Amino acid sequence: MSILFAEQDRTFTLHTKDTTYQMKVDRYGFLLHLYYGRKTGGCMDYLLNYADRGFSGNPYDAGTDRTYSMDALPQELPCQGTGDYRSPAVIIKNPDGSYGCDFRYNGYRISDGKYGLLGLPAVYASKEEAQTLEIYMEDPATGVRMTLLYGVLPEQNIITRSAVIENPGKEKIWLEKAQAACLDWLHGAFDLITFHGRHAMERNVQRAPVTHGAQVIGSRRGTSSHQYNPMLILAGRETTEDAGSCYAMSFVYSGNFKGEVEKDQFGQTRALLGLSDELFSYPVEPKGKFHVPEVILTYSSRGLAELSQNLHRCIRDHVCRGRYRDGGRPILLNSWEASYFDITGASIYELAKQSADLGIDMLVMDDGWFGKRDDDNSGLGDWYVNEEKLGESLGSLIRRINGLGVKFGIWIEPEGINEDSELYRKHPDWVLSVPGRNPVRARNQLVLDFSRRDVVDSIFEKICSILDQGNIEYVKWDMNRSLSDCYSRRTEDQGRVQHDYVLGLYDFLERLVQRYPDILLEGCSGGGGRFDAGMLYYTPQIWCSDNTDALDRLQIQYGTSFGYPISAVGSHVSAVPNHQTGRLTPFRTRGITAMAGTFGYELDPGTLLEVEKEQIREQVHRYREYAKLIHNGLYYRLTDPGKDAAGAWEFLSEDGSEILVSVVMQEIHGNMPVTYICLKGLKPGCMYEETSSGKTYASDALMETGIPLPDQSGEYCGYQMHFKIAKQQEGE
Ligand code: GLA
């Protein structure tokens, strides 16, 4: 049993393989957080401290006891209105206009399996793999109910959190804030690790001490955004990749979010993650319910590498779904950087022919094949095939490509619309825009109002009529701007529109996944602008960044690896000079970098020299050889490419028998010192054979002193070393 309720001290204890989480229903029915960390037994309510704190009020039912204050006690899900002046997870506006709620304990239920959330992505697991705890809370004054949901996946060291808020009353209430996860620590010095970025340079890592004064990240862009990823890590000040305690919170959601971390007046730390409360005021109708999107929690006492591996496993095996979940992803050639909008049926067929020649599995026809779409100023929304441009029907093009033994994939952007489109001319009211005001344009496009069912239905039908035209085995779902002008003509409650938009998006995606279970979906939002666990529930891979520069990708993929499995990272080899940076990097290096993801190409092989084509064949061959290890292996960051001369990472099979080490040198100098790369996680006391040279090495030495990189001249050299455990043991 991973969830226990102790009747005598009214504590709930959640155990995973290596962690324990504990909370307590106290004498007034509040649910207090006691502990989250390394696995332990016993009741931890001795940790709570009570003192008469000036200006920290006391609940009425505490009588004259001035030592009891919600302002100082650690809580499971703090609500505004109880006398806790720290940032709350939940704010409710009542029918009489008052703000506040005061939830008290009202029972619990433990069941096998993992709860699901209506209309929302969530971690899933079988009855054998997980348990669910529901804790029922109720506000006696209003009758509003809140069910706290905990999913425990013991083997994965994962605990998920969500909540359902229910209005049993006769009048509408509004949620002004609704976040699923709070972590309160009674003491301790933490660093906060967050992932910030911009278009084409996503998920840079920032590590900063937690201080007084809230540190806040979030998105008000309607998507999870390039600018901040919806994930937080709190780590001990001394915590490294290999040692020390650390916590991760990852939001399973793709829209506006807020993460807040603050050290309070007593030196206690609170971390919150969930829906943003900005531009949010969500009505819950009488007898209605609101499902709060889920947050994944994990803890490691052994450093950041293990913390990431916990998230990798959870997202790869318990969030991603479908036929391609466990691997077998096609190696693809995408037409975007090969020809941008300048495509015809003949040019796409030519790329497919090149793919066949090079051993590439799939050709993806990116933007430009529909409507009047010769650049990004027109055509978006017109989901009919431009047969004039293609010179044939989509069905015939696909048949010809399949005839080459090459699979076919296609690009779509269902949420976007150009004003210069038939769709806009017919339905100008389908876009998000404020009546009487000119909307903000971005990439010269507007956004369809996906909070409206009729709009979603209509676009869904149109997309299906495209997908039904032939054997389409992959779809790249793009979204190329941030939301603005979030006014919907269908509701009086504009504070619900942005969340309803995300629900509309999920509804569309779910219908797509159900109707086309064999299609591989790849998410994209100008690269990695919506790279989150919510999207990964529908699209098991996401185009990591519009930046394909091998050197910049080292940093982008390094940051991404903290929270997301390598199987989710869309990564391609592109041409040089690189289209985003103008940098020249060796072909081999580009291949090595792209192999830290779902591998593919983003160039026109027709422009390459025969020696380069030979390199593609060789890379394709290598990737196939290592694909399982890359997909399922334990991932270790060996260096920090933002600080170190080399970017280096390792895949280790879970049984420790096979290793793939990749290194890219970022610097080159005269009379260069030798670079040593230390490996991680190997089986101690073993010998490993490097398979290309046949040389054997002792595992402990590989981890302790590392392996010297052979001397190579030239900029940005790449190295790949593959090891297998040798039969002969050390010392034999
Ligand atoms: C976005 C994507 C690119 C490409 C273009 C097409 O920028 O990230 O990969 O698909 O749109 O317009």
Side-chain angles (χ1 to χ4, degrees):
M1 286 284 278
S2 47
I3 302 176
L4 304 165
F5 179 63
E7 202 71 57
Q8 68 285 10
D9 42 32
R10 297 214 291 177
T11 52
F12 292 98
T13 305
L14 319 181
H15 288 301
T16 71
K17 191 163 51 113
D18 304 309
T19 73
T20 295
Y21 187 109
Q22 197 176 72
M23 53 204 142
K24 179 185 179 73
V25 181
D26 82 346
R27 60 199 129 133
Y28 305 115
F30 289 110
L31 190 62
L32 302 181
H33 178 75
L34 294 180
Y35 177 87
Y36 185 28
R38 186 194 295 250
K39 190 161 192 169
T40 179
C43 171
M44 265 79 72
D45 61 1
Y46 67 89
L47 293 168
L48 299 173
N49 56 75
Y50 300 90
D52 183 355
R53 306 281 194 187
F55 288 83
S56 289
N58 319 109
Y60 205 78
D61 37 352
T64 55
D65 180 3
R66 294 202 208 168
T67 67
Y68 189 99
S69 177
M70 300 314 283
D71 203 24
L73 287 164
Q75 297 173 56
E76 271 307 298
L77 206 64
C79 298
Q80 180 271 333
T82 60
D84 181 354
Y85 295 94
R86 292 167 290 181
S87 196
V90 175
I91 303 176
I92 291 180
K93 186 176 166 190
N94 299 297
D96 62 2
S98 67
Y99 289 87
C101 51
D102 184 0
F103 289 109
R104 306 294 178 104
Y105 178 72
N106 196 22
Y108 76 98
R109 180 167 173 262
I110 296 170
S111 52
D112 287 339
K114 161 75 177 52
Y115 64 85
L117 295 171
L118 197 69
L120 284 166
V123 168
Y124 64 89
S126 69
K127 284 204 156 47
E128 294 71 42
E129 291 168 325
Q131 277 200 311
T132 290
L133 168 65
E134 293 164 70
I135 301 183
Y136 306 122
M137 310 288 291
E138 190 170 323
D139 181 345
T142 61
V144 173
R145 293 195 277 262
M146 178 165 80
T147 303
L148 301 184
L149 295 165
Y150 298 82
V152 184
L153 281 71
E155 277 309 303
Q156 314 295 330
N157 283 321
I158 292 288
I159 293 174
T160 65
R161 296 202 50 186
S162 178
V164 179
I165 295 167
E166 227 178 309
N167 175 13
K170 292 200 169 63
E171 288 173 278
K172 177 148 95 169
I173 60 168
W174 289 266
L175 300 177
E176 303 293 315
K177 191 172 184 186
Q179 298 190 313
C182 171
L183 288 175
D184 269 354
W185 290 271
L186 287 161
H187 70 106
F190 294 97
D191 280 344
L192 172 63
I193 304 175
T194 52
F195 304 88
H196 65 96
R198 55 187 185 273
H199 174 233
M201 204 60 217
E202 299 89 339
R203 291 173 293 285
N204 302 281
V205 182
Q206 175 174 288
R207 180 169 181 161
V210 173
T211 55
H212 295 284
Q215 285 153 278
V216 180
I217 59 157
S219 166
R220 51 178 77 89
R221 293 169 176 271
T223 58
S224 48
S225 90
H226 301 86
Q227 284 70 18
Y228 293 101
N229 195 262
M231 184 181 60
L232 300 173
I233 294 176
L234 282 117
R237 292 269 159 85
E238 309 297 323
T239 295
T240 63
E241 286 284 348
D242 314 305
S245 55
C246 41
Y247 300 81
M249 306 171 84
S250 178
F251 195 22
V252 190
Y253 189 69
S254 312
N256 291 349
F257 76 95
K258 195 181 229 180
E260 296 164 82
V261 180
E262 183 170 14
K263 191 186 261 202
D264 77 3
Q265 56 183 329
F266 308 118
Q268 310 181 118
T269 298
R270 169 168 293 176
L272 294 166
L273 182 64
L275 287 176
S276 173
D277 51 342
E278 270 183 53
L279 307 169
F280 178 81
S281 175
Y282 203 95
V284 187
E285 303 290 341
K287 312 283 173 267
K289 281 183 186 171
F290 182 86
H291 293 86
V292 185
E294 174 171 281
V295 172
I296 299 171
L297 304 177
T298 188
Y299 166 82
S300 170
S301 61
R302 291 186 285 259
L304 296 164
E306 188 182 87
L307 192 79
S308 293
Q309 288 163 4
N310 290 349
L311 288 172
H312 292 178
R313 276 201 208 93
C314 174
I315 292 176
R316 187 187 63 207
D317 302 339
H318 295 278
V319 174
C320 294
R321 299 178 295 169
R323 186 180 141 190
Y324 289 96
R325 185 189 73 169
D326 300 333
R329 308 282 173 86
I331 298 175
L332 52 92
L333 171 64
N334 181 295
S335 68
W336 183 240
E337 287 196 22
S339 35
Y340 296 98
F341 291 101
D342 194 10
I343 54 168
T344 60
S347 76
I348 292 292
Y349 183 72
E350 189 49 40
L351 289 176
K353 253 170 74 182
Q354 296 280 356
S355 305
D357 176 46
L358 298 168
I360 293 170
D361 301 312
M362 177 183 279
L363 188 278
V364 175
M365 180 165 71
D366 208 282
D367 201 349
W369 55 266
F370 54 90
K372 184 175 138 270
R373 184 78 173 162
D374 295 325
D375 55 36
D376 52 16
N377 292 310
S378 67
L380 198 56
D382 291 341
W383 298 112
Y384 63 85
V385 179
N386 188 337
E387 294 189 355
E388 208 180 312
K389 189 167 177 181
L390 291 189
E392 61 188 311
S393 71
L394 182 61
S396 124
L397 177 61
I398 297 172
R399 273 193 301 279
R400 291 202 300 132
I401 289 174
N402 284 172
L404 297 165
V406 175
K407 297 177 196 292
F408 180 82
I410 202 164
W411 177 97
I412 57 173
E413 187 177 345
E415 299 152 84
I417 180 167
N418 285 123
E419 286 155 276
D420 185 2
S421 68
E422 286 171 24
L423 184 70
Y424 186 77
R425 282 185 280 276
K426 202 160 156 211
H427 296 292
D429 59 320
W430 279 15
V431 302
L432 290 170
S433 69
V434 181
R437 211 184 265 287
N438 288 325
V440 173
R441 291 184 180 134
R443 209 192 190 202
N444 210 4
Q445 67 191 60
L446 305 179
V447 181
L448 285 166
D449 182 358
F450 263 37
S451 76
R452 280 172 59 169
R453 175 86 191 199
D454 57 338
V455 175
V456 169
D457 283 350
S458 163
I459 305 295
F460 181 74
E461 239 171 67
K462 291 188 168 125
I463 295 294
C464 290
S465 75
I466 300 286
L467 300 182
D468 292 339
Q469 286 177 32
N471 181 26
I472 295 174
E473 297 184 69
Y474 160 106
V475 169
K476 176 175 170 188
W477 178 303
D478 210 341
M479 166 51 168
N480 275 310
R481 59 162 292 175
S482 304
L483 273 58
S484 65
D485 306 278
C486 291
Y487 181 92
S488 174
R489 285 160 179 77
R490 276 297 160 91
T491 178
E492 283 170 2
D493 281 300
Q494 296 301 322
R496 66 181 297 162
V497 174
Q498 300 216 38
H499 179 59
D500 283 350
Y501 179 94
V502 179
L503 295 181
L505 166 70
Y506 289 155
D507 172 39
F508 194 134
L509 284 162
E510 184 61 31
R511 283 196 254 167
L512 211 57
V513 165
Q514 297 303 334
R515 180 161 162 162
Y516 303 100
D518 289 336
I519 290 186
L520 171 61
L521 285 178
E522 175 153 345
C524 178
S525 176
R530 201 158 55 184
F531 204 117
D532 55 68
M535 283 308 287
L536 287 168
Y537 186 68
Y538 308 96
T539 68
Q541 58 191 56
I542 297 177
W543 182 227
C544 185
S545 177
D546 270 352
N547 187 343
T548 55
D549 176 274
L551 266 275
D552 276 357
R553 272 291 183 125
L554 292 180
Q555 285 192 47
I556 297 168
Q557 293 175 185
Y558 169 81
T560 307
S561 78
F562 279 85
Y564 302 96
I566 305 311
S567 60
V569 174
S571 193
H572 298 164
V573 175
S574 62
V576 288
N578 177 267
H579 293 193
Q580 293 80 42
T581 62
R583 193 182 345 237
L584 294 159
T585 49
F587 212 99
R588 179 174 160 74
T589 298
R590 281 175 271 153
I592 289 171
T593 306
M595 282 191 215
T598 67
F599 190 61
Y601 292 84
E602 189 96 9
L603 44 71
D604 180 359
T607 62
L608 298 180
L609 301 169
E610 199 42 51
V611 287
E612 291 172 317
K613 289 190 183 176
E614 211 28 67
Q615 289 206 55
I616 294 188
R617 290 190 193 96
E618 143 82 356
Q619 286 173 353
V620 164
H621 172 74
R622 279 215 177 281
Y623 186 72
R624 287 200 207 290
E625 199 177 323
Y626 304 143
K628 279 209 176 87
L629 181 57
I630 292 170
H631 188 101
N632 299 313
L634 294 169
Y635 180 84
Y636 288 93
R637 295 172 288 268
L638 302 182
T639 64
D640 174 351
K643 295 194 184 120
D644 300 321
W649 59 97
E650 171 191 319
F651 299 98
L652 173 70
S653 62
E654 293 244 8
D655 67 358
S657 67
E658 193 183 358
I659 314 162
L660 181 66
V661 178
S662 303
V663 187
V664 173
M665 286 305 295
Q666 304 190 96
E667 291 179 13
I668 182 95
H669 302 289
N671 207 5
M672 184 91 171
V674 173
T675 303
Y676 290 80
I677 300 293
C678 292
L679 275 49
K680 294 190 177 186
L682 312 192
K683 277 189 163 179
C686 289
M687 297 299 288
Y688 283 86
E689 180 190 330
E690 203 279 312
T691 53
S692 70
S693 63
K695 279 194 191 159
T696 54
Y697 302 87
S699 58
D700 299 284
L702 282 174
M703 291 191 282
E704 192 63 29
T705 314
I707 187 159
L709 294 181
D711 188 27
Q712 271 190 48
S713 69
E715 261 190 323
Y716 312 129
C717 284
Y719 305 82
Q720 211 165 37
M721 291 170 274
H722 179 243
F723 300 83
K724 281 211 153 142
I725 204 156
K727 292 226 170 53
Q728 174 210 0
Q729 295 301 295
E730 193 180 9
E732 276 180 14

